[in-house]
Amino acid sequence: MQKVEVSDRDWKHLLDLRDKVHVPGSPAGSNSNPCMSLYRPLAERTKPFVLAQVGQSLDGRVATPSGDARNVSGSDGIVHLHRCRALMDAVIVGVGTIISDNPSLSVRKVKGPNPIRVVIDCNGEIPADAKFLNDDGESVILIQADDVDRTINGTQAVKLPRRQSGLDVEDILGALRKLGLNSILVEGGRRTIARFLDAGVVDRLHVAVAPLIIGSGPNGICLPPVHSLSEAQRPKIDVYNIGTDVLFDCDFRHQYQQT
Ligand SMILES: NC(=O)c1ccc[n+]([C@@H]2O[C@H](COP(=O)([O-])OP(=O)(O)OC[C@H]3O[C@@H](n4cnc5c(N)ncnc54)[C@H](OP(=O)(O)O)[C@@H]3O)[C@@H](O)[C@H]2O)c1
């Protein structure tokens, strides 16, 4: 397992790559540096890119049954999440995460830009007093069905056709691309990540496993059932020691067949 250490120089290099500042070759830029092999694919935004991220316990849970989800990830898992936010154009969550966790979706644990904040709020259910709507932070985009008539001051509403199962993930990504948002972090919750995975649009999935066992409660990913393990998804995986947590970096563009 590779140990990830991010020096100030490494981080500046990654932010320069993100901002397409010309970076002369340097040892820190080498893919033999675990920090670069983990973060460079996120920073080099040469084509549209979707990263999904789950922070979970050893037994695959993201909260207790009563909904306590704070501090599932260890401190280094949180820093990792903030690095991912800083490297991407936008962060997406479903409205369920806003209601249950009331997150800020900003970058606070590292130096770097805040992503545009996007909430999938198909039916216009977002609480008007949600923290991130009232914090003077980065812009907020609400993705709503086109039959929803609800506006929230200070947000931009993107209206999309209501399909049989809600909003089409390709429609969402297409609308964001038109706004110049090409690299997207899908941060949760479980139903939102499942929809993106099921649509086959996720390039990378980061599963950060923290050393605790919650025992019961919701899991991080819930896909439609498969009948046999031969149908299970088997992405190419690199494993990193990020300090308090272990990170599985799953590359969905390279899948293995079961033999
Ligand atoms: N540890 C982590 O990494 C992490 C991160 C974020 C959240 N969480 C946890 O995840 C839980 C919340 O997950 P959740 O699944 O309840 O909420 P969620 O995924 O944040 O939001 C779910 C809501 O958004 C809707 N939605 C999502 N995509 C849609 C689409 N394309 N079209 C229409 N509607 C769409 C869902 O509709 P449908 O029901 O019709 O699908 C549902 O109403 C909380 O316990 C939270 O703490 C954990």
CSV table of all heavy atoms in Angstrom, one decimal, residues 122-123 144-150 159-162:
chain,number,residue,atom,x,y,z
A,122,CYS,N,-34.7,17.7,-7.1
A,122,CYS,CA,-35.7,17.4,-8.2
A,122,CYS,C,-37.0,18.0,-7.9
A,122,CYS,O,-37.6,18.6,-8.8
A,122,CYS,CB,-35.8,15.9,-8.4
A,122,CYS,SG,-36.9,15.3,-9.7
A,123,ASN,N,-37.5,17.9,-6.7
A,123,ASN,CA,-38.9,18.4,-6.3
A,123,ASN,C,-38.9,19.7,-5.6
A,123,ASN,O,-40.0,20.0,-5.0
A,123,ASN,CB,-39.6,17.3,-5.5
A,123,ASN,CG,-39.6,16.0,-6.4
A,123,ASN,OD1,-40.0,16.0,-7.5
A,123,ASN,ND2,-39.2,14.9,-5.8
A,144,GLN,N,-33.3,21.2,-10.7
A,144,GLN,CA,-34.7,20.9,-10.5
A,144,GLN,C,-35.4,20.4,-11.7
A,144,GLN,O,-35.0,20.7,-12.8
A,144,GLN,CB,-35.5,22.2,-10.0
A,144,GLN,CG,-35.0,22.8,-8.7
A,144,GLN,CD,-35.6,24.1,-8.4
A,144,GLN,OE1,-36.1,24.8,-9.3
A,144,GLN,NE2,-35.7,24.4,-7.1
A,145,ALA,N,-36.5,19.6,-11.5
A,145,ALA,CA,-37.4,19.3,-12.6
A,145,ALA,C,-38.1,20.5,-13.1
A,145,ALA,O,-38.4,21.5,-12.4
A,145,ALA,CB,-38.4,18.2,-12.2
A,146,ASP,N,-38.4,20.5,-14.5
A,146,ASP,CA,-38.9,21.7,-15.1
A,146,ASP,C,-40.3,22.0,-14.7
A,146,ASP,O,-40.9,23.1,-15.0
A,146,ASP,CB,-38.7,21.7,-16.6
A,146,ASP,CG,-39.3,20.5,-17.2
A,146,ASP,OD1,-40.0,19.7,-16.5
A,146,ASP,OD2,-39.0,20.2,-18.4
A,147,ASP,N,-41.0,21.1,-14.0
A,147,ASP,CA,-42.3,21.4,-13.5
A,147,ASP,C,-42.4,21.9,-12.1
A,147,ASP,O,-43.4,22.1,-11.4
A,147,ASP,CB,-43.2,20.1,-13.6
A,147,ASP,CG,-42.6,19.0,-12.8
A,147,ASP,OD1,-41.6,19.1,-12.2
A,147,ASP,OD2,-43.1,17.8,-12.9
A,148,VAL,N,-41.2,22.2,-11.5
A,148,VAL,CA,-41.1,22.7,-10.1
A,148,VAL,C,-41.0,24.2,-10.2
A,148,VAL,O,-40.2,24.8,-10.9
A,148,VAL,CB,-39.8,22.1,-9.4
A,148,VAL,CG1,-39.6,22.8,-8.1
A,148,VAL,CG2,-40.0,20.6,-9.2
A,149,ASP,N,-41.8,24.9,-9.4
A,149,ASP,CA,-41.8,26.3,-9.3
A,149,ASP,C,-41.4,26.8,-8.0
A,149,ASP,O,-42.2,27.2,-7.1
A,149,ASP,CB,-43.3,26.8,-9.7
A,149,ASP,CG,-43.3,28.3,-9.8
A,149,ASP,OD1,-42.3,28.9,-9.9
A,149,ASP,OD2,-44.4,28.9,-9.6
A,150,ARG,N,-40.1,26.7,-7.7
A,150,ARG,CA,-39.6,27.2,-6.4
A,150,ARG,C,-38.3,27.9,-6.6
A,150,ARG,O,-37.4,27.3,-7.2
A,150,ARG,CB,-39.5,26.0,-5.4
A,150,ARG,CG,-38.9,26.5,-4.1
A,150,ARG,CD,-39.1,25.5,-3.0
A,150,ARG,NE,-38.7,26.0,-1.7
A,150,ARG,CZ,-37.8,25.5,-0.9
A,150,ARG,NH1,-37.2,24.4,-1.2
A,150,ARG,NH2,-37.5,26.1,0.2
A,159,LYS,N,-33.2,24.0,-14.8
A,159,LYS,CA,-34.4,23.1,-15.0
A,159,LYS,C,-34.2,22.1,-16.0
A,159,LYS,O,-33.7,22.4,-17.1
A,159,LYS,CB,-35.6,24.0,-15.4
A,159,LYS,CG,-35.9,25.2,-14.5
A,159,LYS,CD,-36.6,24.8,-13.3
A,159,LYS,CE,-37.1,26.0,-12.4
A,159,LYS,NZ,-37.7,25.6,-11.2
A,160,LEU,N,-34.5,20.8,-15.7
A,160,LEU,CA,-34.3,19.7,-16.6
A,160,LEU,C,-35.6,18.9,-16.7
A,160,LEU,O,-36.4,18.9,-15.8
A,160,LEU,CB,-33.2,18.8,-16.1
A,160,LEU,CG,-31.8,19.5,-16.0
A,160,LEU,CD1,-30.8,18.5,-15.4
A,160,LEU,CD2,-31.3,19.9,-17.4
A,161,PRO,N,-35.8,18.3,-17.9
A,161,PRO,CA,-37.0,17.5,-18.0
A,161,PRO,C,-37.2,16.4,-17.0
A,161,PRO,O,-36.2,15.7,-16.7
A,161,PRO,CB,-36.9,16.9,-19.4
A,161,PRO,CG,-35.5,17.2,-19.9
A,161,PRO,CD,-34.9,18.2,-19.0
A,162,ARG,N,-38.4,16.2,-16.4
A,162,ARG,CA,-38.6,15.1,-15.5
A,162,ARG,C,-38.8,13.8,-16.3
A,162,ARG,O,-39.7,13.7,-17.1
A,162,ARG,CB,-39.8,15.4,-14.7
A,162,ARG,CG,-40.1,14.4,-13.6
A,162,ARG,CD,-41.4,14.6,-12.9
A,162,ARG,NE,-41.4,15.8,-12.1
A,162,ARG,CZ,-41.0,15.9,-10.8
A,162,ARG,NH1,-40.4,14.8,-10.2
A,162,ARG,NH2,-41.0,17.0,-10.1
